[in-house]
Amino acid sequence: MKILIMGVGAMGSVYAALLADAGHEIWAVDIWAEHVEAINRNGLRLEGASGDRVVTSIHATVDVSEVGSCDLCLIATKASGVGPAAQAAASVVGTSTPLLTIQNGLGAGERIARYIATDHVLLGVAEGFGASMKGPGHAHHNSMKRIRIGELGGGFTPRLKQIESVWHGAGFDVQAYENITQLVWEKFLCNVTFSAPCTVFHETVGELMADPDHWAIALGAMSEAYDIARAKDIPLGFDDPVAYVTAFGAGMPQARPSMLLDHIAGQVSELDAINGIVPILGREIGVPTPYNETLATILRQREARFAGDAK
């Protein structure tokens, strides 16, 4: 299968390396020219949870027009890059090419749908999956549990099962689901609970949960998102959201959310797709969201400084 991967940062590098090692023709597109050059010159090195390997068969480029038609397009950018990546990919993917993106937060499908027909879009949710960049052409795979994928419009389709098989063959624990929207929202509630609160207080998941005042704020933010889910009739696989997010956090006490890692690195995060989107949804349906409004305001002020420092 010829696979186009838009965005080969940490997570995209993991996808590219394992899928290429499984024998697929991988085209990796990224704006980081030094990274692209390193991949083409020396191969892509990946170490960590999935083993230590150097993959030399990847075609890397900064110009998506070099790719041509493909069998699958994977968008592996951060949330803010999903729309631009879909716009760029739309000019080269076939008219019936499925497009899969694995994201935190909400809104990825809508961003893609501005440029690519929604009946070609699939969404994914990663659990316990982490990676980091060590340098150009060199990524570290921190952890890997399960990836859940599904059609944006729901249901089981032959292409969904085919993509599941492709990822299985590359060594991923992946499972296709009939209703990916439920899983996206269940992960979203966990993201809302830990992302902005851990970042505001500069704490690991376990440290946040151990501080009664900080944990109360985190649960307040989660409760706002949960109220929105109920108002929108989103199906969820649990009745007690506090117990659900508590169990999730208890299983990874040393973890630092990617939002916190972005702020430590002085980078803009996926805030607008996680805690930052909660007030927007709340205003649309009349659900108050003071916790998320406050958390998002604090972090946007910090991120404005990051952007200023980069100029």
Side-chain angles (χ1 to χ4, degrees):
M1 179 177 280
K2 181 178 178 181
I3 302 174
L4 164 62
I5 301 180
M6 300 292 294
V8 281
M11 298 294 283
S13 290
V14 175
Y15 305 149
L18 295 185
L19 288 166
D21 237 13
H24 298 284
E25 180 184 347
I26 302 300
W27 285 79
V29 177
D30 200 278
I31 61 174
W32 185 9
E34 190 179 5
H35 184 41
V36 167
E37 292 168 2
I39 293 173
N40 287 328
R41 183 175 61 251
N42 303 315
L44 175 59
R45 181 180 178 189
L46 177 66
E47 59 183 347
S50 52
D52 196 347
R53 72 193 76 204
V54 176
V55 183
T56 59
S57 60
I58 296 170
H59 309 277
T61 179
V62 296
D63 184 1
V64 71
S65 67
E66 296 180 3
V67 178
S69 62
C70 56
D71 303 308
L72 171 66
C73 178
L74 173 63
I75 293 182
T77 66
K78 288 192 175 183
S80 61
V82 169
Q87 183 178 24
S91 64
V92 297
V93 299
T95 56
S96 61
T97 301
L99 187 151
L100 168 65
T101 188
I102 302 169
Q103 296 287 330
N104 288 321
L106 301 180
E110 291 77 5
R111 295 184 185 97
I112 294 170
R114 297 172 189 167
Y115 308 103
I116 294 174
T118 56
D119 55 356
H120 300 317
V121 179
L122 298 92
L123 301 179
V125 179
E127 176 191 355
F129 204 114
S132 57
M133 293 303 301
K134 306 290 283 186
H138 186 187
H140 187 274
H141 193 179
N142 302 331
S143 58
M144 179 169 68
K145 291 186 181 178
R146 173 164 291 182
I147 294 177
R148 297 173 170 89
I149 61 173
E151 296 275 359
L152 177 61
F156 283 111
T157 62
R159 70 180 178 192
L160 175 60
K161 298 301 291 183
Q162 180 189 22
I163 293 170
E164 179 189 42
S165 177
V166 165
W167 284 67
H168 266 308
F172 294 95
D173 180 358
V174 62
Q175 185 171 352
Y177 283 81
E178 184 174 11
N179 186 356
I180 196 65
T181 298
Q182 174 182 335
L183 300 175
V184 168
W185 269 87
E186 290 177 356
K187 176 69 178 296
F188 179 63
L189 291 179
C190 294
N191 289 149
V192 168
T193 305
F194 296 104
S195 292
C198 282
T199 306
V200 165
F201 297 116
H202 204 284
E203 293 174 328
T204 65
V205 167
E207 289 168 343
L208 179 80
M209 297 178 71
D211 187 303
D213 293 331
H214 296 176
W215 185 229
I217 291 171
L219 291 179
M222 180 279 296
S223 295
E224 293 171 357
Y226 178 70
D227 289 344
I228 292 170
R230 292 184 63 191
K232 293 172 72 68
D233 293 323
I234 302 295
L236 298 171
F238 50 82
D239 296 321
D240 186 342
V242 173
Y244 178 74
V245 298
T246 299
F248 178 87
M252 47 192 303
Q254 302 303 317
R256 294 184 294 179
S258 60
M259 189 179 294
L260 173 56
L261 295 175
D262 284 336
H263 277 232
I264 291 173
Q267 299 174 349
V268 174
S269 72
E270 296 178 310
L271 175 64
D272 288 344
I274 305 177
N275 298 82
I277 203 172
V278 176
I280 296 172
L281 297 174
R283 286 192 291 271
E284 290 176 354
I285 57 178
V287 173
T289 59
Y291 283 101
N292 284 286
E293 287 177 6
T294 301
L295 291 165
T297 298
I298 293 169
L299 295 181
R300 285 200 180 98
Q301 185 178 35
R302 292 183 188 175
E303 293 191 359
R305 292 200 298 269
F306 298 157
D309 291 342
K311 293 179 181 178

